[in-house]
Amino acid sequence: MEAATQLQRPAVTELRLSAFKSHRNAVYPLGPLTLFRGPSGSGKSSALQAYETLARLAGGDTLDEALAPVAGGATACVPQYARPDEQGRRGFRIGCTVQGPVGPVRLDVAVQAEPELRIVGERLTGSGRTLLSTALRDPGLPRVEAAWHTAGSVPVTRAPLPDDRLGTALLPLRVAGKTAGQRMVLDAAEQAVVALRSVFPCDPRPELMRAPVAARDGLLRGACDNVAAVLGRTRNECVTRHAALVAAAGAGCRGQVEGVSVQGLEGGLVRAVLARQSGAATPLERLGDGELRYLALCLVLLTGPGVLAVDPAAEVLPARQVLTVLADGLDRCLDPRQVRELLALAARMCERGHIRLVGTVQGAVGEVAEEVAGASMVDLGE
């Protein structure tokens, strides 16, 4: 029964990088817990950047907004040796497969980075047919011509769409859903959008985590700079998961850990502390970078959309939602023991079906990850 339920939760099960940075014609399967392993420069981070770009587009961002986290922007996403065509155009292509209630749905996007940034082609396929396709017909206009499956008196509907947004995310605003074909299109688009936008990019920043924060700042941000306020909130809201966090802290931090709590400071600020067996508390600002990153990542894995700063899919029941954590440099600053404990926790949480983790690790640490049951390795080689 549990396995059947998990299949009904939309999730990205494949990432395709046809032409993106150093990747060419690459297809990467994604399981509940997937780790990209390889040396520096092998393309680990760029794989997660492509995933995040698709997620941001599915959430309604423009191309400029979706590519803002990428250093160098759209131009940096173009493969280094890609030659411009006769019109001086260069770009990149990314895509994914989303598994869910309507079966596998494929989304592929072609982006022109030069001379102007725009989506020049998009294709959504499912149920053995093309459900949406777009193409740039007139380079002088900021739009693409879109065609989507109708299966009514008119088999295909055509209309212009803006060239700076994902057409799949706009379909619910343009398709009435009156025919079986239109409903097929809407179901596939919803499955793709829900799975993609349910993403939490996470990169804990120890240098930001040590400062006191406002007690009411209760939604954890990707940098985990407000971790003290969130720890205070989760301590009161979920005793079971907080106990699991304390156990994880004891396994990954130096010394005996009896509890994780917060201390109130002047001005409505709080700081987090680890309770010790001796009675003396250790403020989080005294922990090492590895301990802080480890504790923050454990907190992310043990919480959900209600605690993290993400946009939950309100149209999907909470029991059917899956949150995907993107963690570039998952093992940064962590020792092998912390990596082993963190991945064991990730495997347990991912097995339940409500959370997925896609991370990157260095090659040597990847050997530790192989010991964890349930972890899928993507080896990008030397």
Side-chain angles (χ1 to χ4, degrees), residues 136-274:
L136 181 66
R137 301 300 184 192
D138 187 344
L141 298 176
R143 68 189 188 193
V144 292
E145 291 301 316
W148 57 83
H149 180 63
T150 305
S153 56
V154 178
V156 174
T157 300
R158 303 181 187 276
L161 292 177
D163 66 356
D164 64 342
R165 295 182 184 272
L166 191 69
T168 298
L170 298 175
L171 283 177
L173 303 176
R174 305 296 298 268
V175 180
K178 294 181 178 180
T179 68
Q182 289 178 340
R183 290 189 290 271
M184 182 187 300
V185 171
L186 288 175
D187 288 344
E190 180 182 89
Q191 178 168 296
V193 168
V194 166
L196 279 170
R197 86 181 205 202
S198 301
V199 162
F200 183 67
C202 181
D203 183 14
R205 301 277 300 279
E207 71 275 16
L208 302 178
M209 295 169 59
R210 292 187 168 94
V213 296
R216 295 183 178 181
D217 193 2
L219 287 178
L220 189 67
R221 292 185 285 271
C224 300
D225 51 299
N226 60 332
V227 66
V230 179
L231 286 171
R233 174 187 170 187
T234 57
R235 181 172 179 267
N236 297 322
E237 290 185 357
C238 186
V239 175
T240 301
R241 293 201 175 192
H242 186 77
L245 179 65
V246 173
C253 297
R254 290 180 60 86
Q256 187 74 24
V257 177
E258 296 294 323
V260 180
S261 60
V262 297
Q263 293 178 344
L265 304 175
E266 293 183 359
L269 302 178
V270 293
R271 69 174 182 179
V273 297
L274 299 184

